[in-house]
Amino acid sequence: MRNNFVSKKAKIVFILKSHLISILISSCLTFAASSVGLAFHVVQKSAELAQATAQIAKLKAANKIIEKKYRKKIAKEKIKSKVKVVMSAVPFLGMGAVGYFEYHDYSEWKKDNPDSDASEYVLHIKEQFVLFEDELKNELPERAGEKLSGIIDDIESYLSKAISIYG
C-alpha cells in the first residue's frame, strides 16, 4: 500500500511540476509578446515626437522670419510718426508734447534694453532715421523731407529735456 501511495504522490508532484512549467512558459511568452508590443509602441511614439519637434522648429523659424519682416515696418512707422509730431509741434506746447511722447517711446525701448541709457537710445533713433531716410523723404510732405536732417537734432533735444523733467 505504501508503494501505491508513493506512486500517487509522485504522479501528483509530476502533474504539479508540469502545470507549473506550462504556467511559467506561458507567462514568459506573454511577457515577451508584451515587451515586443511595448517596444513597437515606444518606437512609434518616438517617431511621432520627432515629427512634432521638427514641425515646432519649422514654425519657430517661420515666426522669426515674420517678426523680422514686421519689425522693420514697425520701426519705419515709428520714425514717420516722430517726424510728423516734430513737424506739427507748436513752439511751446508742441515741445512739451514731443518731449512727453519721445520719453514714452524711450521708456518702451528701455524695457527691451534695460542695460542701455538715453544716449544709446538717441543713437538707435539716428540709426533708424538713416535706415529709412530715403523712404521718409519720398513719403512725407516736401517741406518735411527738406528738414529731415534737422529733425533728429530736435528729437535729441526734446528727449534730453524730457529725461530731465520726467526722470
Side-chain angles (χ1 to χ4, degrees):
M1 176 124 172
R2 177 147 171 89
N3 215 2
N4 199 9
F5 177 73
V6 171
S7 166
K8 284 184 182 181
K9 186 177 176 184
K11 285 181 184 179
I12 292 173
V13 169
F14 177 75
I15 292 172
L16 284 176
K17 282 183 181 179
S18 298
H19 283 297
L20 285 175
I21 289 173
S22 68
I23 290 172
L24 182 64
I25 290 172
S26 173
S27 296
C28 287
L29 291 175
T30 303
F31 177 72
S34 297
S35 296
V36 169
L38 286 174
F40 177 75
H41 186 71
V42 166
V43 168
Q44 184 181 16
K45 291 301 176 185
S46 295
E48 289 175 14
L49 179 63
Q51 186 179 14
T53 303
Q55 185 68 21
I56 288 171
K58 286 179 186 176
L59 290 173
K60 283 183 178 181
N63 189 33
K64 284 184 180 182
I65 291 169
I66 291 170
E67 282 179 355
K68 191 174 185 179
K69 177 182 174 183
Y70 286 105
R71 191 178 307 143
K72 184 176 179 181
K73 288 182 180 183
I74 290 170
K76 179 181 172 184
E77 291 303 316
K78 282 185 176 184
I79 292 297
K80 280 173 51 177
S81 71
K82 287 178 190 302
V83 170
K84 289 177 182 177
V85 167
V86 171
M87 289 302 296
S88 64
V90 177
F92 181 68
L93 294 176
M95 189 168 79
V98 170
Y100 173 77
F101 290 121
E102 195 57 42
Y103 183 75
H104 177 72
D105 288 349
Y106 167 72
S107 298
E108 286 183 18
W109 178 83
K110 185 72 171 163
K111 288 178 189 173
D112 294 334
N113 303 284
D115 297 332
S116 303
D117 61 4
S119 63
E120 291 176 54
Y121 174 71
V122 171
L123 288 175
H124 168 74
I125 296 300
K126 285 182 180 180
E127 288 171 2
Q128 295 295 315
F129 265 98
V130 169
L131 185 64
F132 299 116
E133 187 173 8
D134 292 333
E135 293 177 41
L136 288 171
K137 284 181 180 177
N138 293 334
E139 293 180 20
L140 292 172
E142 194 173 312
R143 68 184 181 100
E146 294 169 1
K147 297 180 180 182
L148 197 57
S149 60
I151 290 175
I152 188 64
D153 296 330
D154 293 342
I155 290 176
E156 186 175 2
S157 168
Y158 296 147
L159 179 62
S160 299
K161 289 176 184 174
I163 290 172
S164 68
I165 294 171
Y166 300 114

